[in-house]
Amino acid sequence: MAKKSKKQQQSGGTPATVALTAAGVEYTVHAYDHDPSHPSYGEEAAEAMGVSPERVFKTLVADVDGSLTVAVVPVAGQLDLKALAAAVGGKRAAMADPALAERTTGYVRGGISPLGQRKKLPTVLDASASSHTTICVSAGRRGLEVELSPTALTKLTDAVVAPIGRI
């Protein structure tokens, strides 16, 4: 995996890649042509990159007891809202209003990254990530993914690792 230079960041970096560079984390950026008619952003990314959907993770924003929380789960599955609430010591979780998620993170739906958010939110990474050397998450815009180690993602987001995804 290649680290991006500051010059590369200035010429098209996102807050996510800037955060990775600032932290000195090794990562690889994967760009692809986003098709607005594709029914799933995550599945589209996996197909376009030729990566198993179990290694491509989607970033979802949920409301847990009145607080926004980020859930990072494989695109091959779904988020278990009860498990997410339990992982952060909450009682009840529901998907956040998309407009609120966009305003709070600074990213558009389908391009929300767990990294470099406008407001750092509590984050939970699905435990299945630990079974992979690297995983892919949104780099901050549709058609752009970043590949990094699950350990690096956990450290940079201060994530809790818990079984929050279901196939």
Side-chain angles (χ1 to χ4, degrees):
M1 288 188 284
K3 250 194 289 188
K4 300 295 178 185
S5 71
K6 289 184 194 264
K7 184 176 180 180
Q8 288 171 309
Q9 291 311 306
Q10 293 166 351
S11 67
T14 66
T17 58
V18 169
L20 287 165
T21 300
V25 171
E26 287 191 24
Y27 65 96
T28 302
V29 173
H30 299 276
Y32 60 92
D33 290 328
H34 167 62
D35 176 2
S37 67
H38 200 288
S40 167
Y41 297 117
E43 289 175 11
E44 176 191 26
E47 291 167 9
M49 295 185 303
V51 174
S52 164
E54 288 79 21
R55 279 190 49 229
V56 179
F57 283 65
K58 57 189 169 187
T59 305
L60 304 171
V61 181
D63 180 318
V64 178
D65 297 336
S67 296
L68 291 182
T69 303
V70 172
V72 185
V73 296
V75 301
Q78 294 181 324
L79 171 62
D80 181 333
L81 288 165
K82 287 182 183 182
L84 174 64
V88 294
K91 293 181 182 177
R92 200 171 141 91
M95 293 308 297
D97 173 69
L100 178 61
E102 289 179 343
R103 278 193 314 272
T104 305
T105 64
Y107 294 117
V108 297
R109 204 177 66 142
I112 295 177
S113 178
L115 300 157
Q117 295 175 355
R118 182 177 290 151
K119 178 181 178 189
K120 189 172 182 176
L121 299 172
T123 301
V124 182
L125 175 61
D126 185 63
S128 68
S130 302
S131 65
H132 304 288
T133 305
T134 62
I135 60 171
C136 298
V137 297
S138 176
R141 67 174 174 251
R142 296 172 188 154
L144 196 66
E145 295 280 312
V146 63
E147 181 178 351
L148 73 165
S149 76
T151 303
L153 181 62
T154 301
K155 182 179 173 188
L156 289 173
T157 60
D158 295 322
V160 171
V161 177
I164 59 166
R166 60 178 182 225
I167 302 284

